[in-house]
Amino acid sequence: MGTKEASPPTVLCLFFLFCLGGKCLASEFQATQTATLTVDASPQLARKIPDTLFGIFFEEINHAGAGGIWAELVSNRGFEAGGPHTPSNIGPWSIIGDDSSIFVATDRTSCFNRNIVALRMEVLCDNCPAGGVGIYNPGFWGMNIEDGKTYNLVMYAKSPETTDLTVSLTSADGSQSLASATVTVSGTLNWTKLEQKLVAKGTNRTSRLQITTNKKGVVWFDQVSLMPEDTYKGHGFRTELISMLLDLKPRFLRFPGGCFVEGDWLRNAFRWRESIGPWEERPGHFGDVWHYWTDDGLGYYEFLQLAEDLGAAPIWVFNNGVSHNDEVDTVAIAPFVKDVLDSLEFARGSANSTWGSVRASMGHPEPFPVKYVAIGNEDCGKKFYRGNYLKFYNAIRQAYPDIQMISNCDGSSKPLDHPADLYDFHVYTDSKTLFNMRSTFDRTSRSGPKAFVSEYAVWRSDAGRGSLLASLAEAAFLTGLEKNSDIVQMASYAPLFVNDNDQTWNPDAIVFNSWQHYGTPSYWMQTLFRESSGAMIHPIKISSNYSGSLAASAITWQDSENSFLRVKVVNFGSDAVSLTISTSGLQASVNALGSTATVLTSGNVMDENSFSNPNKVVPVKSELSNAAEQMQVTLAPHSFSSFDLALAQSKLIAEM
């Protein structure tokens, strides 16, 4: 993963006037505008960007978790999605056979107290069809089963008579068998945990799990799980999707929402304690904002683990007694406050504490470093928000004085009327508006809480399903956040993921299905900001009659071996620009060797990526052979360019 190399090389002609490998390339664009960008890299004017500036926000939306980064292949694995009243809908489970050979219905006989629904299967036939009768689960729009890979099946079953079951991975219509094994349910009324490894002998992207038998009688099933063996670090996440996140180098992970935290009604809000402990015992819940069931295999613990795996600071967004449609009066909020304090003890408490011991029993005796919490999501205008907020704020401050608390109320234009360490700032708008918002925080007071731009994106008419135009406006907005990073502490794009089969919100950073994935231009744009967190930012000035269509920033950063001056420039206009970059104050000379130029652009401003053409709009990286303190480049129309000038024997950021 990462910034893509140019292929074919002639693509570079679109972007610059410079010599590459001794051969000068002529621009296919006749620059009609000129501009000068001056950078003052003197140490006395440099300012350190917060280490936390750019991170990611994960919300359970668009089947981002269930059927997404969480690798569980079975949908509705506990038969709970139809509700606690039985008989109930068992979808997407279905039967193999007909009503003369098999009868299935849910009942309340599970051995798990928190999820009491199980499935009763009665085989009616004396001479069952070849292959038997039974049930199957297609997963989330088909299971991706790949040749040679191992899949771990776990399920609970009971039967009054000893019964052999055939568990199989097959094609969607059952005609192709990819893996099969026989498991035996002992004749007992006690539930038995059955485990079986299935090794695929073939690949099918829309497979299903089948459980069949030829024996007449009754079998109960509950908590049927199928997980690929090769999850990320063995922690249950889809490796290829986590790789996309790692490539962003996120400094924080905000989770699990979003509106998912609130619920349309409080009864359907995310409840952290219902999402911890053994997966078999988790009741799951219906996310009524985004309209689908989650088994909560991806729960509070797993989010904390994901943050650790990513090397990102966890930001726990909790419900403050407010949903979209109902609220808890402040006089009755105390149980909710205690619930949140318990959640923090689960994350941070010692392995000997009440809730820390639960975390330890799940395999993580060391505390998770939760140092940020958001008190609600987009609730500032609600009747009881401020009263509830203060109850949470005071209790958390007393118990955990180091935790930074985030208010839902925007403090960018006027002071907050309550204490906070940070405040949320959300913006979803058209591309022109967001481009012009690059100076939003220029006028924000430098005293008081810091801003957390926890949700930003271009959407609606000019966003498409993730257009180049959207990414350019977002890039310009982020250069403004870099410039104002003395008051802006964090920022994250939203939404992060979308399963192509459930695009409830559009656009998104990463699109996937059961076996494919790609980044939208907005994803690739973010890769050019991944070195900004913790870097040094420098003052810049743009001189041009065309400056209203340009946005830029300059930072110095270093990897494990080298230091760089990075100049990022967005050309939001339809004209090419002959740009002179003039740098002063550097404490080291520029070395053309190792200097690079990376450009995100395309032939049409509304171009998008897709499964059929995932690399249509991706950054193209090339050598910058004319790198110098004074240099000239040509910016393509509608482009985002990042110039990394290698610095020889740099002292500029030695203190970083």
Side-chain angles (χ1 to χ4, degrees), residues 73-74 137-139 142-145 204-209 226:
L73 295 173
V74 176
N137 187 288
M143 300 178 180
N144 178 38
I145 302 301
N204 189 294
R205 307 300 189 184
T206 56
S207 304
R208 71 188 196 186
L209 169 67
L226 183 70

Side-chain angles (χ1 to χ4, degrees), residues 200-525:
K201 297 180 179 179
T203 295
N204 189 294
R205 307 300 189 184
T206 56
S207 304
R208 71 188 196 186
L209 169 67
Q210 293 188 174
I211 306 172
T212 57
T213 185
N214 285 294
K215 184 171 182 177
K216 186 176 182 179
V218 178
V219 184
W220 281 265
F221 299 100
D222 198 9
Q223 297 301 326
V224 182
S225 171
L226 183 70
M227 291 282 279
E229 195 166 67
D230 60 343
T231 62
Y232 185 72
K233 292 189 173 182
H235 291 156
F237 301 104
R238 274 179 64 174
T239 300
E240 73 278 17
L241 297 183
I242 298 303
S243 294
M244 295 284 282
L245 301 185
L246 289 167
D247 204 41
L248 292 175
K249 300 180 180 178
R251 295 303 182 94
F252 64 82
L253 170 65
R254 178 180 184 243
F255 69 89
C259 297
F260 180 73
V261 169
E262 300 165 276
D264 264 350
W265 298 92
L266 281 171
R267 62 178 176 267
N268 293 317
F270 178 78
R271 306 285 183 174
W272 73 272
R273 69 176 72 221
E274 301 296 317
S275 75
I276 63 169
W279 61 267
E280 303 97 322
E281 299 177 10
R282 301 181 190 183
H285 80 287
F286 178 69
D288 60 356
V289 176
W290 307 122
H291 309 298
Y292 60 90
W293 175 264
T294 61
D295 289 313
D296 288 333
L298 176 55
Y300 182 52
Y301 174 88
E302 286 74 22
F303 281 116
L304 293 169
Q305 184 63 69
L306 176 59
E308 182 175 276
D309 289 348
L310 295 172
I315 301 179
W316 165 220
V317 184
F318 60 77
N319 187 288
N320 68 101
V322 176
S323 78
H324 288 177
N325 292 300
D326 58 343
E327 302 179 50
V328 176
D329 191 308
T330 301
V331 299
I333 201 64
F336 287 74
V337 174
K338 182 180 184 305
D339 184 66
V340 168
L341 292 176
D342 289 345
S343 76
L344 293 173
E345 182 179 278
F346 176 90
R348 294 181 38 147
S350 74
N352 297 321
S353 64
T354 300
W355 287 102
S357 64
V358 178
R359 181 199 67 240
S361 71
M362 295 179 69
H364 203 285
E366 303 82 11
F368 289 108
V370 176
K371 296 183 179 179
Y372 300 91
V373 296
I375 303 175
N377 173 73
E378 297 181 349
D379 293 328
C380 183
K382 301 295 178 63
K383 179 179 179 180
F384 294 112
Y385 178 70
R386 281 172 169 77
N388 291 359
Y389 173 93
L390 289 173
K391 294 290 187 180
F392 286 102
Y393 180 93
N394 291 331
I396 295 171
R397 182 63 82 218
Q398 181 176 0
Y400 301 96
D402 63 315
I403 286 183
Q404 301 286 290
M405 282 173 275
I406 304 162
S407 168
N408 289 177
C409 300
D410 178 12
S412 62
S413 58
K414 62 180 181 180
L416 298 181
D417 60 2
H418 53 274
D421 299 296
L422 298 102
Y423 59 85
D424 267 329
F425 183 95
H426 294 181
V427 55
Y428 298 96
T429 188
D430 62 272
S431 60
K432 183 177 180 180
T433 300
L434 192 64
F435 178 82
N436 290 330
M437 287 181 68
R438 63 194 185 279
S439 59
T440 293
F441 291 95
D442 290 1
R443 299 173 295 277
T444 298
S445 171
R446 266 40 200 173
S447 62
K450 307 288 188 182
F452 179 14
V453 184
S454 53
E455 299 181 30
Y456 73 85
V458 171
W459 72 330
R460 294 184 174 166
S461 60
D462 53 6
R465 294 192 65 184
S467 65
L468 170 65
L469 181 63
S471 71
L472 298 180
E474 291 155 1
F477 180 65
L478 294 192
T479 64
L481 300 190
E482 288 181 315
K483 174 185 175 184
N484 288 289
S485 58
D486 59 325
I487 189 64
V488 178
Q489 186 81 11
M490 301 176 179
S492 50
Y493 178 93
L496 184 59
F497 282 111
V498 60
N499 188 312
D500 191 56
N501 296 285
D502 180 27
Q503 195 152 18
T504 301
W505 188 285
N506 180 68
D508 310 271
I510 301 169
V511 185
F512 65 89
N513 57 25
S514 69
W515 63 285
Q516 297 168 294
H517 67 280
Y518 66 86
T520 63
S522 295
Y523 168 84
W524 291 110
M525 174 277 298

Side-chain angles (χ1 to χ4, degrees), residues 8-120:
T10 54
V11 174
L12 297 177
C13 297
L14 298 173
F15 307 133
F16 303 110
L17 285 169
F18 57 84
C19 294
L20 177 62
K23 180 180 179 181
C24 291
L25 302 176
S27 171
E28 293 183 13
F29 292 107
Q30 180 63 46
T32 58
Q33 304 289 341
T34 60
T36 299
L37 173 64
T38 57
V39 180
D40 188 340
S42 56
Q44 60 268 28
L45 295 181
R47 175 174 49 79
K48 189 174 186 293
I49 294 174
D51 292 332
T52 56
L53 185 57
F54 293 123
I56 55 177
F57 163 46
F58 181 94
E59 178 164 15
E60 181 59 271
I61 181 177
N62 305 318
H63 277 86
I69 66 166
W70 190 243
E72 174 63 64
L73 295 173
V74 176
S75 177
N76 189 19
R77 67 185 178 193
F79 307 101
E80 306 285 336
H85 303 292
T86 59
S88 57
N89 185 358
I90 65 171
W93 291 90
S94 191
I95 64 169
I96 299 168
D98 57 33
D99 58 8
S100 67
S101 59
I102 186 172
F103 177 83
V104 300
T106 53
D107 62 22
R108 296 164 63 89
T109 60
S110 173
C111 59
F112 301 111
N113 293 329
R114 292 199 294 172
N115 42 21
I116 60 174
V117 176
L119 184 72
R120 179 183 184 275

